């Protein structure tokens, strides 16, 4: 389930700090980010995004930092269709078998959309009733960028916390809508199409 052309990210264990969404914090400066690519071409996107990861016994921590010349979001309710505006997203398949995976979205107003997708005969069925219990998020907006930090409890997405050496299939994605220009879809693992829902193209997150 881990083709050689998929990106791999080492997620290092350590003592986690409070959510700050600050890529310049002493905590996040000790960790190496990865950059996004345009989903269809694999080329650098017009508006760059970087993502960092960390973990402890309780949760997976993810930080997005998105350059943005026109930050656009109006939706504030839980499970609103955030994907119709600007958003960053996480896709997580702990089992790595493609039978089901979780999706969590956060927009520049710190609104959250979370769901689980399960394979059926026609593809995948979306279950919007699912809640990522204990999820915490924090967003910071600047003049030309925004950041979102998520704390995802392992108990909400897996039967047990990972152990060093475990590998999960994940992808980190972004929908950007520049003013007066077509939307831009970018991801850590490019999918080869204008679609994030391509589980075989999820990258590999290795816990260390």
């Amino acid at each position: 389930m881990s083709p050689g052309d998929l990106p791999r990210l080492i997620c290092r264990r350590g003592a986690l700090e409070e959510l700050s969404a600050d890529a310049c914090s002493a905590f996040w400066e000790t960790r190496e980010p990865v950059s996004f690519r345009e989903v269809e071409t694999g080329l650098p996107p017009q508006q760059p995004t970087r993502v960092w990861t960390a973990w402890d016994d309780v949760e997976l921590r993810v930080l997005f930092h998105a350059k943005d010349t026109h930050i656009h979001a109006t939706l504030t309710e839980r499970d609103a269709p955030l994907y119709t505006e600007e958003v960053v997203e996480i896709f997580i398949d702990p089992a790595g078998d493609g039978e089901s995976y979780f999706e969590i979205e956060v927009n520049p107003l710190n609104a959250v959309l979370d769901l689980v997708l399960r394979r059926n005969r026609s593809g995948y069925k979306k279950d919007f009733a699912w809640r990522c219990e204990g999820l915490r998020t924090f967003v910071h907006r600047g003049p030309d960028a925004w950041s979102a930090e998520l704390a995802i409890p392992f108990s909400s997405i897996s039967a047990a916390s990972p152990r060093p050496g475990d590998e999960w299939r994940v992808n980190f994605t972004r929908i950007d809508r520049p003013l007066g220009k077509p939307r831009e879809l970018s991801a850590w693992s490019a999918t080869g199409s204008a679609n994030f829902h391509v589980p075989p193209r999820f990258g590999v997150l290795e816990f260390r």
Side-chain angles (χ1 to χ4, degrees):
M1 287 295 292
S2 301
D5 65 337
L6 292 176
R8 176 178 291 269
L9 174 59
I10 303 299
C11 183
R12 300 198 179 276
R13 185 172 176 171
L16 303 179
E17 297 182 352
E18 291 299 316
L19 296 176
S20 68
D22 182 5
C24 296
S25 70
F27 174 77
W28 287 114
E29 280 193 332
T30 64
R31 300 174 183 272
E32 288 294 323
V34 291
S35 297
F36 282 20
R37 297 182 291 163
E38 199 278 329
V39 288
E40 293 186 80
T41 66
L43 297 174
Q46 295 297 310
Q47 303 234 78
T49 307
R50 293 184 296 168
V51 68
W52 294 254
T53 62
W55 69 292
D56 64 10
D57 289 337
V58 176
E59 65 188 23
L60 172 65
R61 191 71 65 86
V62 180
L63 171 65
F64 293 86
H65 181 71
K67 289 288 187 180
D68 201 332
T69 56
H70 175 67
I71 300 173
H72 172 63
T74 65
L75 300 171
T76 58
E77 294 184 1
R78 182 68 175 258
D79 285 347
L82 307 186
Y83 47 84
T84 62
E85 297 182 339
E86 294 193 328
V87 72
V88 291
E89 308 174 343
I90 303 173
F91 297 83
I92 307 175
D93 179 358
D97 57 10
E99 291 301 309
S100 65
Y101 59 93
F102 303 96
E103 178 180 353
I104 303 172
E105 304 182 7
V106 180
N107 77 355
L109 297 177
N110 202 28
V112 170
L113 167 62
D114 49 0
L115 63 148
V116 61
L117 296 93
R118 300 182 178 90
R119 188 190 295 276
N120 59 23
R121 293 180 179 179
S122 59
Y124 286 89
K125 181 180 180 180
K126 297 180 179 181
D127 179 3
F128 289 95
W130 177 75
R131 288 288 182 272
C132 183
E133 295 296 335
L135 173 70
R136 295 177 292 126
T137 63
F138 189 89
V139 167
H140 173 75
R141 294 177 61 172
D144 60 358
W146 65 284
S147 300
E149 187 170 350
L150 297 84
I152 305 170
F154 291 122
S155 60
S156 68
I157 58 175
S158 179
S161 298
R163 296 175 296 180
D166 285 354
E167 296 180 354
W168 286 9
R169 298 294 295 276
V170 306
N171 207 358
F172 308 102
T173 66
R174 176 187 177 188
I175 300 174
D176 182 59
R177 300 181 186 276
L179 186 63
K181 298 180 181 179
R183 71 174 185 177
E184 181 173 64
L185 304 180
S186 58
W188 169 52
S189 180
T191 60
S193 65
N195 179 16
F196 294 143
H197 293 272
V198 187
R201 292 298 309 167
F202 289 0
V204 179
L205 185 73
E206 180 181 347
F207 294 91
R208 289 276 186 91

